[in-house]
């Protein structure tokens, strides 16, 4: 093990064996230990010619000690990297690196000796009643009596079309201990875990006439992200095979499934211009929350998409541009569940529209389309148009002033048969309401002109309201235990704050681009690192099967507040 002591934390790296054979997987483990690891990201793995990284996994543990009346807390983050060498020789794995609170850390290099191994035996063929006979290629470890296999429901799919991936453990020997070292990982895919059994249940099956016991390790529902082929990286397990009568020890083996590639098909040539990325079967509707507004007063316009398919990944439909109103990027809320091997639910896009002229303003019809992968056809949808009455601000102010003058006149009418003073006592009380109205009206007009003339002032003015609304929603999702909804709102609140504070179009930028923009505005590296940690954690929860613990959720919410306080 190689250990490097740091000022804020301890950064360590180790390897499970220093001598391996060609084609035999080995694991490099990296540990980050400290009292406070909030905002710590994943270390950057090095690149080594001749050694490939098959996949990685992350785990976390916390230890609390109570000594002499004092409580101490230590957190350990562990990152396991499954690697394999393609040729023999002596290799040096360069240091892993980490940036935390503006400081850069690295481990010491690790040496490994790769020797030439024996040829791997072939596995027999599998025969099942529901599938034609097919050949299973050998696992990386080369053992034919116990191995892992990856099965997919489809060999090729359209962009956005779901498929199911099953990982099975096959054995025809007695196993005394089983541990999953590395979960399968996916490239260019969004993952929804369907099943990860806590207890393995074996059933009998036959492969080429040879009996095996089979148990499900993991079942995932995955969706392609874009038009690149999906890469399924291997899962790895540590198993112990019971020894025979003459053996005192069980045999330890590391087994891995083989990597697989899912081909992405191209859409038919009749792809309509209004199609974006919806694949499945959906309904399409819209709601307008009012029929009458004032000029420059924003109102909500909702587009609702219901059905089954890649509903969690849908891009917002486009509202046709117009000189008569401005359209702001929408907020999105999704409510979905897994049913029948796909996602079903509802996604609501809420747009803010601001009318620029008075009179009868029309929102044009909206065209949208989705692709039905079962029939391999595009389905077009059209809704609208809508009409809304827009009043000018001047007309509204005139009505208010006229009404107020009428009320004031009624107060100063002479009363018959009573003494009237030339200058009545407490005269200022008669004019106090009018004076207050005048002050409020003047402030309203000044504030409106300020907002209209100074966009930066308008954005900053809107921050407290947006933050209050966002944190209320975060607390609600946290109480309900909706992890994905919580982290989706967490990143939305952060990005909306950055957009209003710095006038950056963060919703269309990558994390690295956001970090670059903030550094150009003299934001400290510590704040940038914490901010990127929030976005990375949000993506990991929303797009993988990772489930954070309750104390992690509270820490992430606290980190969000600290980042906003530092930037506000």
């Amino acid at each position: 093990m190689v250990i490097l002591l740091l000022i804020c934390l301890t950064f360590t790296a180790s390897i499970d064996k220093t001598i391996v054979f060609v084609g035999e997987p080995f694991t490099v483990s990296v540990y980050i230990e400290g009292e406070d690891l909030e905002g710590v990201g994943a270390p950057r793995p090095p690149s080594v010619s001749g050694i490939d990284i098959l996949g990685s996994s992350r785990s976390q543990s916390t230890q609390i000690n109570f000594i002499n009346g004092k409580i101490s807390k230590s957190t350990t983050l562990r990152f396991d990297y499954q690697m394999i060498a393609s040729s023999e020789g002596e290799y040096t794995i360069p240091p892993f690196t980490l940036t935390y609170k503006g400081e850069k850390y690295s481990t010491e290099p690790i040496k490994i000796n790769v020797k030439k191994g024996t040829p791997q035996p072939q596995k027999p063929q599998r025969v099942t009643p529901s599938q034609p006979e097919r050949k299973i290629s050998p696992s990386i470890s080369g053992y034919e009596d116990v191995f892992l296999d990856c099965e997919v429901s489809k060999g090729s799919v359209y962009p956005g079309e779901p498929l199911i991936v099953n990982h099975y453990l096959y054995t025809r020997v007695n196993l005394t201990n089983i541990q999953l070292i590395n979960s399968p990982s996916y490239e260019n895919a969004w993952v929804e875990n369907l099943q990860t059994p806590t207890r393995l249940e074996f059933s009998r099956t036959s492969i080429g006439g040879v009996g095996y016991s089979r148990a499900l390790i993991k079942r995932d529902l995955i969706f392609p992200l874009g038009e690149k082929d999906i890469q399924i990286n291997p899962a790895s397990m540590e198993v112990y095979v019971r020894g025979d009568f003459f053996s005192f020890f069980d045999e330890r083996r590391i087994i891995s499934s083989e990597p697989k590639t899912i081909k992405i098909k191209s859409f038919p040539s009749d792809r309509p211009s209004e199609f974006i990325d919806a694949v499945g079967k959906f309904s399409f509707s819209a709601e307008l929350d009012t029929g009458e507004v004032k000029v420059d007063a924003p109102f909500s316009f909702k587009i609702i998409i219901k059905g089954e398919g890649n509903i969690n990944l849908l891009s917002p439909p486009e509202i046709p541009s117009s000189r008569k109103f401005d359209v702001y990027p929408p907020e999105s809320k999704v409510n979905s569940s897994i049913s029948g091997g796909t996602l079903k639910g509802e996604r609501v896009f809420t747009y803010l529209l601001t009318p620029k002229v008075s009179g009868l303003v029309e929102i044009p019809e909206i065209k949208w389309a989705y692709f039905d992968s079962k029939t391999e056809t595009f389905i077009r949808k059209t809704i609208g148009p809508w009409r809304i009455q827009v009043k000018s601000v001047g007309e509204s102010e005139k009505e208010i002033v006229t009404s107020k003058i009428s009320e004031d006149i009624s107060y100063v009418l002479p009363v018959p048969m009573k003494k009237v003073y030339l200058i009545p006592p407490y005269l200022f009380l008669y004019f106090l309401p009018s004076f207050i109205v005048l002050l409020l009206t003047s402030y309203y007009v000044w504030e409106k002109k300020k907002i209209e003339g100074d966009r930066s002032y308008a954005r900053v003015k809107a921050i407290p309201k947006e933050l209050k609304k966002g944190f209320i929603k975060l607390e609600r999702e946290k109480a309900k235990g909706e992890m994905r909804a919580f982290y989706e709102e967490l990143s939305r609140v952060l990005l909306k704050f950055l957009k209003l504070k710095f006038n950056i179009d963060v919703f269309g930028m990558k994390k690295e681009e956001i970090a670059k923009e903030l550094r150009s505005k003299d934001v400290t590296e510590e704040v940038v690192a914490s901010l990127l940690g929030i976005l990375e954690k949000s993506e990991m929860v929303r797009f993988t099967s990772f489930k954070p613990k309750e104390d992690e959720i509270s820490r992430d919410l606290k980190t969000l507040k600290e980042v906003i306080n530092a930037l506000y």
Side-chain angles (χ1 to χ4, degrees), residues 349-419:
F349 295 97
T350 303
Y351 300 77
L352 279 182
L353 276 63
T354 303
K356 308 305 293 181
V357 297
S358 60
L360 191 63
V361 174
E362 179 178 282
I363 302 174
E365 64 180 16
I366 299 174
K367 296 182 179 181
W368 185 74
Y370 67 86
F371 181 73
D372 189 335
S373 58
K374 294 181 180 179
T375 61
E376 297 187 332
T377 56
F378 291 98
I379 309 299
R380 294 172 173 84
K381 299 283 186 178
T382 302
I383 53 176
W386 302 264
R387 293 177 177 84
I388 184 169
Q389 186 66 41
V390 181
K391 286 186 175 182
S392 64
V393 177
E395 293 175 353
S396 302
E397 291 179 348
K398 184 177 180 181
E399 292 173 1
I400 295 174
V401 173
T402 303
S403 175
K404 192 61 192 177
I405 291 175
S406 301
E407 293 173 9
D408 292 341
I409 291 175
S410 66
Y411 282 110
V412 297
L413 287 174
V415 181
M417 306 297 296
K418 287 187 179 182
K419 183 184 292 185

Side-chain angles (χ1 to χ4, degrees), residues 197-227:
T198 56
R199 181 178 179 181
L200 299 186
E201 297 183 1
F202 286 90
S203 60
R204 297 294 297 172
T205 187
S206 176
I207 303 177
V210 179
Y212 278 86
S213 294
R214 184 179 79 164
L216 177 68
I217 302 299
K218 202 170 189 292
R219 175 173 291 143
D220 293 322
L221 177 69
I222 67 174
F223 292 82
L225 293 175
E227 300 179 355

Side-chain angles (χ1 to χ4, degrees), residues 244-257:
D244 56 23
F245 180 78
F246 300 99
S247 176
F248 293 98
F249 302 101
D250 297 335
E251 181 186 358
R252 175 180 178 268
R253 300 180 184 177
I254 302 295
I255 58 176
S256 300
S257 60

Side-chain angles (χ1 to χ4, degrees), residues 117-138:
T118 57
Q120 299 173 350
Q122 293 288 323
K123 287 181 184 175
Q125 290 182 304
R126 173 180 307 188
V127 180
T128 60
S130 60
Q131 291 180 330
E133 185 173 332
R134 67 182 179 90
K135 186 176 182 180
I136 298 180
S137 55

